[in-house]
Amino acid sequence: MAVTALVNRRAWAAFGHNDLRGTYRDPLLVMLVLAPVIWTVGTLVLVPPATETLSRRYDFDLVPYYPLLITALLLLTSIIIAGGLGAFLVLDEIDAGTLTALQVTPVSLSSFFAYRASTVIAVTTVYVVGTMSFSGILAPGLVLPLVPIGMVAGLSSVVTLLLIVAVARNKIQGIAMVRLLGIVIAGLPCLPWFVDSGWNLAFGVLPPYWAAKAFWVATEHGLWWPYLAGGVAYNVALAWPLLRRFVRVNT
């Protein structure tokens, strides 16, 4: 048991070193890493002046819609960015034969994916907490709730990763999948904001809905943790068969 744990720790360290080396050498991955920073700066710089302009010219108050804006611009985009980044790294590893080589080592494919899922969840959480905290339009007192919300968003990123690698066989197909899923992940989960009835839960079929809904309820100081629990259960239920397929195809 101790030997297996040591092997896995060394393997995870090697995977991390390979990720860092592969990411900064690929301009596409560098842009994915920097995209949340660019969107955060854009939100910080553009939203307050837009709020003032709309209020002065059209007597429209944009402030009540800040939770929706920050969800669309930063929370949901963090999911597609982290999921896409993880998927591209997996596709690189498939092309390089890394997953095939793992089958003749003490490191299992399950251990490899545990590493990949953990890093995707961690990156998503950092993106969610960091970008939303520095957006300039986050309501006070919401930084701590963003940590569990970011982790549930990270589970949606893992589902996104698995959906991409289930269809794509190379980075070109992966980019097409990211664009397609971007509509589903960064667009449709915003619609429940406008549905003030029990039908709101019908959007729960979309994995990112649960993190977005928890954030909206948190901004209203409501009971938001049940949505996190629902998000964990639903995203894990989606990820499990996709993971089994991934292991089966790559074994």
Side-chain angles (χ1 to χ4, degrees):
M1 189 70 177
V3 174
T4 302
L6 178 61
V7 169
N8 285 335
R9 282 198 298 270
R10 289 180 175 176
W12 282 34
F15 293 151
H17 180 265
N18 187 60
D19 283 351
L20 292 175
R21 183 176 58 184
T23 298
Y24 74 75
R25 288 181 176 179
D26 190 326
L28 172 62
L29 299 186
V30 171
M31 284 304 301
L32 283 176
V33 171
L34 295 179
V37 178
I38 297 171
W39 289 329
T40 303
V41 173
T43 302
L44 180 64
V45 172
L46 298 177
V47 172
T51 301
E52 182 181 352
T53 301
L54 290 172
S55 178
R56 185 179 66 253
R57 293 185 178 180
Y58 305 103
D59 195 27
F60 178 80
D61 187 8
L62 189 61
V63 174
Y65 295 91
Y66 276 1
L68 177 62
L69 287 176
I70 202 173
T71 298
L73 295 174
L74 301 176
L75 173 59
L76 298 178
T77 50
S78 293
I79 294 174
I80 188 65
I81 287 295
L85 179 61
F88 290 152
L89 289 172
V90 170
L91 291 173
D92 277 344
E93 285 152 347
I94 292 174
D95 288 342
T98 302
L99 302 189
T100 302
L102 282 178
Q103 297 177 48
V104 295
T105 70
V107 182
S108 66
L109 196 57
S110 297
S111 177
F112 163 78
F113 189 80
Y115 161 80
R116 180 61 63 218
S118 298
T119 54
V120 166
I121 292 172
V123 168
T124 306
T125 304
V126 170
Y127 277 169
V128 168
V129 176
T131 59
M132 296 174 75
S133 297
F134 289 101
S135 66
I137 61 174
L138 180 70
L142 290 178
V143 175
L144 288 180
L146 287 181
V147 176
I149 290 172
M151 294 177 70
V152 173
L155 289 175
S156 297
S157 296
V158 173
V159 173
T160 302
L161 182 163
L162 287 168
L163 286 172
I164 293 173
V165 299
V167 176
R169 292 292 174 266
N170 51 57
K171 274 191 178 180
I172 301 299
Q173 295 179 5
I175 292 172
M177 280 295 296
V178 167
R179 290 177 177 175
L180 176 62
L181 290 174
I183 300 172
V184 178
I185 292 173
L188 293 181
C190 292
L191 296 180
W193 172 272
F194 303 100
V195 181
D196 189 18
S197 70
W199 286 104
N200 190 289
L201 283 173
F203 289 90
V205 296
L206 303 171
Y209 162 85
W210 301 95
K213 182 65 176 180
F215 172 66
W216 297 339
V217 175
T219 60
E220 298 174 352
H221 306 290
L223 193 62
W224 49 272
W225 69 263
Y227 293 100
L228 292 187
V232 170
Y234 183 66
N235 280 280
V236 169
L238 286 180
W240 182 246
L242 290 170
L243 174 58
R244 293 184 63 181
R245 180 187 185 280
F246 172 79
V247 173
R248 184 176 67 251
V249 168
N250 292 282
T251 299

